[in-house]
Amino acid sequence: NPIPMAGFPHHQLDSYLGKIIRKGFRAAVCEQVEDPKEAKGLVKREVTRVVTPGTVTDDGLLDPRASNYLAAVIGDRDKRGVERVGLAWAELSTGRFFALSAPRRELADHLARIAPSECLVSEDESWSDDELGVEFTTGRPSWAFGSDSSDKTLLKHFAVKSLEGFGFHDDDRPAIRAAGAVLDYLQETQKASLAHIERLTPYRLGQTLEIDQATRRSLEISRTLRDGGREGSLLSMIDRTATSMGSRTLADWLSNPLTDIEAIDARLDAVAELRAAARLRENLRDRLKGVYDLERLVARVTTGRASPRDLRYIGRSLAGLPSFKESLAARDSRLLTALDDQIDTCPQLADLLDTALGDDCPLHARDGGFIRGGFHEELDRLRELAAGGKQWIADYQALEAERIGVPKLKVGFNKVFGYYIELTNAQRDNVPAEYIRKQTLKNAERFITPELKEYEEQVVSADERANQLEYDVFLELRAAVQASARALQRSALALAQLDVLLSLAELAAARNYCRPQLVNEPTLEIVDGRHPVLDILEPEGTFVPNDCHAQAGDSMVLLITGPNMAGKSTYIRQVALITIMAQMGGFTPAKSAVIGVADRVFARVGASDELARGQSTFMVEMTETARILNTATERSLVILDEIGRGTSTYDGVSLAWAIVEHIHDEVGCRTLFATHYHELTDLAHSLAAVTNLNVSVKEWEDNVVFLHKIVGGAADKSYGIHVARLAGVPRSVNERAKQILAQLEAEHLDEENRPKIGATGKQRPRSDIQLTLFAPYDHPVVERLKSIDLNQLTPLDAIQVLKELQDEVREDVVAKPR
């Protein structure tokens, strides 16, 4: 069972470690743990840490804008036998640690929100890719998830007798078991202090807007559908933060919008105040650019991996904190006031670091040279010795020249012979008896004295002693920082939140966003709303804004019809994104917006298959739709795009029709339903809360101009053939498509050129065959077949009846127009 080994220059650790981790391997880092000079035989080595995808703390291996979570999952059942899961996740580089208990069916959604780099699972449990969806999973022994083991690990680490003080109760046992497994894994792999993990925070369902995995993907909230990258997503478009801490916090806010109006308004008040104070906002943003990533710096200090440069960065960040407190002290909004109270300037630590550390500090403490001169008297003396003690040599030379009466006596040094006194042959008679000959030259002699020899020994060892003393001073400084870790973490969190509020205010001012009004009633009143991504990407002033009015009663379900490329999908997406931005606590791209707080947002947009999991495009579509119909509540917001297009026209229309009815009658939530099935527009006549909207189009000389404006009423065409022409489909294909379309419309449109849907149970004549949702077409041949008594039919009679039926069908086909 060989273990792959790798040796490489220590200064290239990050490069090689990155390659190993990106491939999903766990890397054990081995280092010398004793002084080679004191070692007997081989120098002792030990595994000092194990690095895995979820436990990376090295700057070179982390995306500064993204969190790097380690998660753990354990299955459980409640007293009624309902399947649940315990889920815990921690970020080693910042110390954040959360846990929750939830129904098993919601696990994939939570993991999509967290996006862990690594997930721990019990070796005794099996999990499907649908449930986890995590690239790297690590099996752990079942005892690591045990209740007793988890309790012992957590209580010992936090030095408490119960987790109730953190807000956990008896129903949270699965969450606690998962949290214990996470902490046990961190202790095993890091082999260092985890003091920066100060608390375990319960994540309570209902306190944040729930967004499932499919919706996050469809709306491209933090990753794009195209390549799964950050660029082009909503997050990348609205991120104007000045620090990496702020960028990660913004991502967290966007992934976990709030549902409490008071908490949302507290953020909006702060954004509004900062937006109105342009000079203050600019000043604060400039100062934030001088703040380093305190969260991750403190984590490296507490795990014993901080460098002198890290301490220098902490010192520089601390130096700017008093100015932040001064600027925030006079603010009106309670959130900005709270952030002011949360910032601790740590004046003694700031002064210590500024006094002790030089301006340019190395990455490795053993390199030395980073403690300021004058900070440590003994270190200064050793450095002077190590540098050759020029003043001592000059003084010694003058004293010896005067003592032996040789004014031109010279004291020198070379790497072979060390220090020496040089006398010319002419001065040879003045050599004192205590001078010891060291080297003979052509015209001179070199000597050593006991005093000079002693000084030489001091100089030779001074550099080594200076480096060791400097390292000891570094350890004292690191311990001082660690003693203030809790205060530094609070300050880091406050600065990160301030950065996000400033970013949202800057975005609102630059893009002319409005402050949304959050209400408890399920309503949407958006005036001149814009898509927050396309509004920025498209040339200034080209994006067409649109209103949205949806509320319980008369316009709860909005049916949007219209041509391809006209903007139906953009419109429904922008409504969902505006809602998410509002509940995050940000201003919204609109002239005005009244948003009823949603408990869940669902989006079924786009088509994709999951061939690896044996699911077709239509299966994926129906699975996601079923999830919406089964879990949406009257406070939810649902957007659906082209439901039913993955199957035959009849099946698709039937399903879409039934889905709209179910949402209207059973769920009763705000819904935007974009569709090409114009038949559905008839629902506005039978369902009170369904309203028809369409995207207006201008026709001119067989061309169409998409106006991208949402207006009332139903569309009468899809203009798909026009779009095909624009896409480059051959002209002959387009012309043939027009002929076929004219024939189909002649058969399936009524006198007002609208798609016909027959009433249930009505029989139509043969010349009026049309699309029906409710009854099959009753053909006379079918009716005659039903009436035949086969028991009374001879073989000859059967042949005769079959011929008559065949002739009748042929006559029917000939009679049809072509």
Side-chain angles (χ1 to χ4, degrees), residues 307-422:
S307 68
R309 189 173 298 177
D310 291 333
L311 299 190
R312 175 74 273 184
Y313 289 162
I314 291 174
R316 289 176 181 171
S317 299
L318 286 175
L321 295 190
S323 64
F324 285 105
K325 289 187 70 66
E326 182 180 348
S327 297
L328 294 175
R331 298 304 101 203
D332 295 326
S333 66
R334 58 188 177 89
L335 180 52
L336 292 179
T337 301
L339 295 182
D340 174 35
D341 294 337
Q342 192 174 329
I343 295 175
D344 189 334
T345 60
C346 302
Q348 292 180 333
L349 178 62
D351 183 64
L352 174 64
L353 295 177
D354 182 60
T355 304
L357 296 171
D359 293 332
D360 296 317
C361 293
L363 280 174
H364 304 286
R366 293 293 185 183
D367 291 344
F370 54 87
I371 299 296
R372 286 187 190 276
F375 177 75
H376 197 285
E377 184 177 345
E378 176 63 12
L379 180 59
D380 291 342
R381 188 186 71 82
L382 290 172
R383 282 176 171 173
E384 186 178 352
L385 278 174
K390 293 181 180 180
Q391 187 60 46
W392 189 93
I393 292 295
D395 292 343
Y396 181 76
Q397 178 175 298
L399 288 171
E400 284 299 293
E402 182 180 356
R403 185 174 73 87
I404 68 173
V406 181
K408 293 185 178 181
L409 177 144
K410 175 186 174 184
V411 177
F413 174 84
N414 68 36
K415 294 182 179 179
V416 177
F417 294 100
Y419 286 96
Y420 57 83
I421 298 171
E422 184 174 296

Side-chain angles (χ1 to χ4, degrees), residues 230-284:
R230 187 179 193 270
E231 297 306 314
S233 66
L234 173 64
L235 175 60
S236 71
M237 291 294 107
I238 68 173
D239 187 356
R240 304 199 175 191
T241 55
T243 69
S244 51
M245 294 186 299
S247 188
R248 293 194 301 270
T249 301
L250 175 63
D252 185 59
W253 283 19
L254 188 60
S255 294
N256 300 276
L258 304 176
T259 56
D260 180 75
I261 292 180
E262 185 177 352
I264 298 171
D265 281 337
R267 291 180 179 178
L268 291 173
D269 289 341
V271 173
E273 185 171 359
L274 293 171
R275 182 191 183 186
R279 183 173 297 179
L280 171 67
R281 186 175 71 248
E282 183 179 355
N283 182 272
L284 287 171

Side-chain angles (χ1 to χ4, degrees), residues 5 35 56 73 83 95 136 200-201 270 325 337 351 361 377 387 436 440 474 543 564 592 597 657 678 692 756 765 784:
M5 300 292 287
D35 190 336
V56 174
V73 175
E83 286 190 300
F136 301 122
L200 174 62
T201 303
K325 289 187 70 66
T337 301
D351 183 64
C361 293
E377 184 177 345
I436 303 169
T440 300
F474 165 73
F543 188 87
N564 288 297
S592 66
V597 173
W657 185 287
H678 298 160
N692 284 325
K756 292 182 287 187
R784 186 175 175 187

Side-chain angles (χ1 to χ4, degrees), residues 281-299:
R281 186 175 71 248
E282 183 179 355
N283 182 272
L284 287 171
R285 282 169 56 80
D286 285 342
R287 275 183 274 161
L288 276 171
K289 293 175 184 177
V291 174
Y292 294 87
D293 195 339
L294 275 177
E295 278 188 319
R296 287 183 171 171
L297 288 171
V298 172

Side-chain angles (χ1 to χ4, degrees), residues 452-714:
L452 192 57
K453 182 65 176 177
E454 180 183 353
Y455 180 77
E456 179 182 329
E457 291 175 354
Q458 292 179 4
V459 170
V460 170
S461 64
D463 188 52
E464 182 179 333
R465 287 188 290 148
N467 283 340
Q468 182 58 49
L469 181 56
E470 191 167 15
Y471 183 73
D472 293 340
V473 173
F474 165 73
L475 294 180
E476 292 174 3
L477 293 174
R478 194 175 70 183
V481 174
Q482 185 167 349
S484 299
R486 181 169 297 182
L488 290 172
Q489 283 185 318
R490 287 198 302 268
S491 297
L493 180 59
L495 290 174
Q497 292 180 1
L498 175 62
D499 195 6
V500 173
L501 295 171
L502 286 165
S503 173
L504 295 175
E506 180 69 18
L507 178 69
R511 305 300 305 178
N512 195 28
Y513 285 7
C514 75
R515 173 174 179 160
Q517 178 186 351
L518 279 300
V519 297
N520 284 315
E521 296 75 22
T523 185
L524 282 173
E525 294 293 333
I526 301 172
V527 177
D528 285 348
R530 311 189 299 276
H531 193 290
V533 175
L534 297 180
D535 184 46
I536 294 175
L537 291 179
E538 293 188 359
E540 187 70 27
T542 60
F543 188 87
V544 179
N546 277 295
D547 299 345
C548 179
H549 305 285
Q551 56 188 1
D554 57 350
S555 56
M556 180 179 61
V557 179
L558 304 181
L559 272 174
I560 305 105
T561 50
N564 288 297
M565 294 178 58
K568 299 190 304 296
S569 295
T570 297
Y571 174 69
I572 63 176
R573 278 183 170 98
Q574 80 183 35
V575 171
L577 293 176
I578 286 173
T579 300
I580 290 171
M581 291 177 67
Q583 294 193 213
M584 175 187 69
F587 280 32
T588 53
K591 184 176 181 180
S592 66
V594 179
I595 309 290
V597 173
D599 61 350
R600 295 177 173 88
V601 169
F602 294 100
R604 170 53 232 175
V605 178
S608 62
D609 55 25
E610 298 284 353
L611 297 181
R613 301 176 187 177
Q615 295 185 356
S616 66
T617 299
F618 184 64
M619 185 63 180
V620 173
E621 178 182 327
M622 287 297 101
T623 299
E624 294 176 1
T625 302
R627 175 78 178 276
I628 295 171
L629 298 180
N630 289 322
T631 58
T633 72
E634 61 182 10
R635 292 186 58 208
S636 301
L637 171 64
V638 173
I639 67 169
L640 298 170
D641 189 21
E642 305 297 351
I643 291 297
R645 64 182 172 183
T647 185
S648 70
T649 301
Y650 286 8
D651 283 350
V653 174
S654 303
L655 282 166
W657 185 287
I659 287 167
V660 173
E661 286 184 335
H662 180 86
I663 291 175
H664 181 278
D665 297 339
E666 304 297 331
V667 182
C669 67
R670 293 159 292 176
T671 303
L672 281 72
F673 195 115
T675 183
H676 278 299
Y677 293 140
H678 298 160
E679 294 82 3
L680 300 185
T681 59
D682 282 349
L683 285 167
H685 302 300
S686 58
L687 301 178
V690 171
T691 298
N692 284 325
L693 301 175
N694 75 93
V695 191
S696 58
V697 173
K698 181 72 174 179
E699 293 189 63
W700 179 71
E701 294 184 356
D702 199 32
N703 290 311
V704 294
V705 177
F706 302 126
L707 301 180
H708 304 297
K709 196 67 179 176
I710 303 295
V711 298

